[in-house]
Each structure stands twice: as structure tokens, then as C-alpha cells.
Amino acid sequence: MKYFLINVKKIYKNKLNSIPVFIIILFLVFLYVGNLKSATIEFDLDSPISIKEDINSTSKQIKLFEKNLKSISLDSEEYINIKNDLNLAKERKEYLENKLKAYKNKDWHQFYQNDIRLKKIDLEANKYESDYDDEFLQTIKLNEKYSLYQYENKLGFDDRFTPVQGISYIILIVNNYLSIILIVMMAFILSYLYCSNYFNGIDISIIVPMKQVNRIMTKLMVGCFVGISVTLFVLIISGTLGSVGTEFGSLKSPILTYSTSGICEYEPIRNFIMSWIIMSILSMLFISNVIFVLSVLLKKRTSCFFSSLLFLFACTWGCTKIAPIFSIVHLIPTTYLNCLQVLSGEIGYLTQNNNINALTGIIVLLVCNIVLTIINFSLMKMREVK
């Protein structure tokens, strides 16, 4: 325990560690401010400005349809088509006005009810248009599913692409950025910590009166402690930003899940929490093991830091980008560093590999951690002999 605390104190005494921490805070704040501005002020389709613009545009369409009807014969097919378009436009304007009113009154149940109706109109109006491809129509369908999920679960205002609630913003960060933040922070902190034991290429930690295996396990525990601390820090900052900006949200907040066949559904994030925690801890241990091996081989902080980044980022990137290895990617541990994308089925969908799941990930990470720990022990033994 004392050796563990000594290593933790080393981390806190290193003032350079405050630099990446400050950068992470800035990143999280600026990203959230951008989301909030997009979702509630300017660019998003659900923002008041966008809804008002949509109402004005629809009103102009209504006037144009009414004008065209006056110059066309009542018996013609064109008259019937324009009449249908006019009725659809009037219906759309009514739902837009109701949606805007619900937004102003913060009646999110009514807001999403009218949004669902609008999505159905948009889907019906665009599915016969040759200008729109299947991907565009799929986006509309997913937007409709999102609004339906929010409506059925009585959740507050949020945005699918730029979430602003605390929990949904946490989901965005965990799904897209946490694995990157973890790799960078753990490589930065642990490269300094593990390599600080070397003086003129000699490991001075061997003078510590404890067994070699205990010393290695303690250092790996410190690595996990760093990973858990970074994760909690990111989650707390993200959740606080969401709470200040709108509301903290609910564990029923949705995450988009995938199957290899391409079917996408929304599920509550609470369904994935336990599996995510287990896989995250194993991922942190794997990252710690990799950095430890490189620190023993390289001994220098800078070399260890950049080598760790290169190895971990290259392997993580390759797992979803290099098509020839997609069939065996479920056996590569870096596939599982982004745990939430594994649990949601996104990585399985991208690689078309049905074997990528939580159970496989836990087994692969466990085996790799055992193997790397044995390698670490062997390398340290070799150092002692020399």
C-alpha cells in the first residue's frame, strides 16, 4: 500500500500533468458551448430560429400553391397534386407552430409529439423524390425514431447530434472521445511515472523491499487508478456542463445501437453501464501494461510516451479501417478500447464482424493482460539478472 501511495504522490507532484488536464477541460467546455449554441440558438432544425424560418418558408409555399391553383383547371391531375401539396403544407405549418409553442412553454412531450408528425410528413414527401438517396431517407427515419423515443420516455429537450443534457453529453464524450483522452492522458502520466524509476538505464525500484511480482502489480494498479481518475474527471465535467446548460438528464437517455444487418434502434444507456465499467477497467489495465512494457524496453520518458501513442492509436485505428483484418479484428485487444462502441454494436457493424461483443471483449482483454503481465515480469527478471 505504501508503494502504491508513493507512486500516486509522484503523479500529483508532477506539475506537467496539469497541462493535459487543462486542455481537456477547455475541449469539453468549448464542445459543449458549441452544442448548446447549435441546438438552441442557431443551426439545429429544432432550434427556435430554425423552426421560425421553416414556418416562414412553409407560409411562402402555401401562398405559391394557392396562386397556382387559380390558374389551373379543377378537373386536371395537376390541380389535384397541387391541392394535396397545399393541404400537406398547411398541416406542416400547423405542426411547426405547435412545436414552436411547445418549445417556448418547455412542454417537451408536446414538442416531440409534433416533431414526430413533422418527420412523418417529411418522410412521406421525400421518399418519392429522385434527388434524395437511401442514406438521406434513413437519416429522417432515425430522427423520427429518436423523437419517438424521447416522447415515449418523457425526456426533456435534447438533440441527437449535438446533445446538451448532462447524461446525453456524457454519452457523446464516452462514445467518441473518451478512448482518445484515456490513451493520451495515461501515456503522458504513466510514461513519466514508469520511466522515473530508471537512472542511467538502471531500475532503481529494485531496492524497494518487496517481491518483483508485487511491485509490477502495484504499478499496474496505479495505472488503473490513473485511468479511473481520468474517466471520472471527464464524466463529472461533462455532466456538470450539461446540468448547468439545460438539465442533468436521465439514465433512460438513448444510445443508437447497431446490428451487422444495418438495423438501428435506440436503447437506454442504463442497459450498458455494468458491461461498460468492466470492459473499461480491463482496457485501462491493457493500456497500463502496454506502457509498462515500452517503459522497460525504452527507459526514456519521451520515447515511451510517443511510442505508446503510436502503437495504441495505430492499432485502434487499424481495427476499423483496414478491411483485410476485419474477419479477425475480434481477437485484437485494441478493438475493445472504445467500449461503448463495442457494446452498441457500432464497431461490429463497421467491420461486419458478428463476434465483436462484450463477452469476447472481456475474454480477449483478460488473456492479453495476463500475457502482458507475464512479459513484464520476464523483462524485469532479465533486467535483474543483468
Side-chain angles (χ1 to χ4, degrees):
M1 189 64 183
K2 286 184 179 179
Y3 189 58
F4 177 86
L5 292 175
I6 289 171
N7 281 278
V8 170
K9 285 180 181 178
K10 277 186 182 181
I11 294 170
Y12 284 106
K13 285 181 179 179
N14 184 10
K15 294 181 180 179
L16 288 176
N17 290 336
S18 61
I19 296 173
V21 170
F22 181 68
I23 292 172
I24 289 171
I25 293 173
L26 283 180
F27 169 74
L28 294 174
V29 170
F30 278 115
L31 182 62
Y32 183 79
V33 170
N35 281 7
L36 191 63
K37 188 176 180 182
S38 174
T40 61
I41 302 174
E42 290 182 357
F43 311 111
D44 194 82
L45 294 175
D46 289 333
S47 69
I49 293 175
S50 295
I51 297 172
K52 287 177 183 177
E53 289 176 352
D54 208 353
I55 291 172
N56 293 334
S57 176
T58 306
S59 297
K60 290 178 181 178
Q61 284 183 332
I62 290 171
K63 290 178 181 179
L64 181 63
F65 290 145
E66 290 174 338
K67 182 181 177 181
N68 291 339
L69 284 177
K70 293 177 182 178
S71 60
I72 300 173
S73 172
L74 295 175
D75 300 328
S76 66
E77 186 179 347
E78 186 179 1
Y79 181 90
I80 296 172
N81 290 336
I82 294 177
K83 184 68 175 177
N84 289 336
D85 288 341
L86 175 62
N87 293 334
L88 202 64
K90 286 181 177 179
E91 188 179 4
R92 192 170 190 279
K93 182 183 177 183
E94 180 186 351
Y95 293 149
L96 283 167
E97 289 172 342
N98 291 339
K99 183 179 175 182
L100 182 61
K101 183 180 178 181
Y103 185 97
K104 291 178 178 178
N105 295 332
K106 298 188 183 300
D107 185 350
W108 306 122
H109 199 61
Q110 285 295 316
F111 177 87
Y112 282 113
Q113 186 179 52
N114 284 282
D115 191 60
I116 292 165
R117 291 168 177 168
L118 286 166
K119 296 291 191 297
K120 289 184 183 299
I121 291 174
D122 290 342
L123 193 61
E124 186 66 27
N126 291 317
K127 68 179 181 180
Y128 298 114
E129 293 286 338
S130 58
D131 293 339
Y132 301 116
D133 55 18
D134 291 338
E135 186 176 347
F136 177 80
L137 295 176
Q138 181 67 17
T139 301
I140 296 177
K141 289 178 183 178
L142 286 176
N143 290 340
E144 182 188 0
K145 285 183 179 180
Y146 179 84
S147 295
L148 183 62
Y149 183 95
Q150 296 286 101
Y151 174 76
E152 290 177 343
N153 289 277
K154 298 180 179 179
L155 299 175
F157 174 77
D158 213 344
D159 184 77
R160 179 189 163 201
F161 298 104
T162 56
V164 291
Q165 288 188 15
I167 295 293
S168 58
Y169 185 59
I170 287 173
I171 294 171
L172 173 75
I173 296 300
V174 171
N175 196 52
N176 297 316
Y177 304 106
L178 183 59
S179 61
I180 299 171
I181 292 171
L182 267 179
I183 289 172
V184 172
M185 285 295 293
M186 290 183 71
F188 188 86
I189 294 170
L190 296 181
S191 293
Y192 165 81
L193 180 67
Y194 293 160
C195 292
S196 64
N197 293 322
Y198 291 96
F199 182 76
N200 290 333
I202 300 172
D203 183 9
I204 59 175
S205 69
I206 59 175
I207 64 173
V208 178
M210 63 189 302
K211 292 181 180 179
Q212 184 72 275
V213 65
N214 292 338
R215 191 159 62 245
I216 293 172
M217 294 308 297
T218 301
K219 288 180 179 179
L220 293 177
M221 284 174 59
V222 173
C224 283
F225 171 78
V226 171
I228 292 169
S229 299
V230 170
T231 300
L232 289 175
F233 174 75
V234 170
L235 297 186
I236 291 169
I237 295 295
S238 302
T240 302
L241 287 168
S243 300
V244 172
T246 53
E247 59 180 283
F248 185 69
S250 165
L251 289 177
K252 290 192 286 186
S253 294
I255 179 171
L256 187 62
T257 60
Y258 301 78
S259 68
T260 51
S261 61
I263 299 172
C264 302
E265 298 293 339
Y266 285 100
E267 291 188 33
I269 189 61
R270 65 187 177 191
N271 292 355
F272 303 96
I273 290 176
M274 285 307 301
S275 298
W276 178 77
I277 290 172
I278 295 169
M279 285 187 68
S280 293
I281 292 172
L282 289 173
S283 297
M284 294 168 197
L285 183 59
F286 173 76
I287 294 171
S288 301
N289 260 310
V290 169
I291 298 169
F292 195 101
V293 168
L294 291 171
S295 71
V296 174
L297 295 174
L298 301 173
K299 301 188 186 70
K300 295 182 179 179
R301 301 169 191 174
T302 305
S303 301
C304 180
F305 172 62
F306 285 110
S307 297
S308 300
L309 289 184
L310 181 62
F311 175 80
L312 291 168
F313 277 134
C315 292
T316 304
W317 176 86
C319 288
T320 55
K321 301 297 181 183
I322 303 175
I325 66 170
F326 284 176
S327 59
I328 60 164
V329 79
H330 60 285
L331 301 174
I332 303 174
T334 49
T335 300
Y336 304 98
L337 295 188
N338 193 325
C339 306
L340 195 55
Q341 285 189 9
V342 170
L343 295 172
S344 69
E346 185 174 351
I347 292 180
Y349 170 71
L350 290 172
T351 60
Q352 288 296 293
N353 190 325
N354 285 314
N355 295 314
I356 298 175
N357 53 55
L359 180 59
T360 306
I362 290 170
I363 293 171
V364 169
L365 287 170
L366 272 173
V367 171
C368 287
N369 277 314
I370 292 170
V371 170
L372 284 171
T373 303
I374 293 171
I375 292 172
N376 279 324
F377 183 74
S378 301
L379 288 172
M380 294 297 286
K381 274 291 183 184
M382 289 169 60
R383 294 292 180 190
E384 281 188 359
V385 172
K386 289 182 180 181

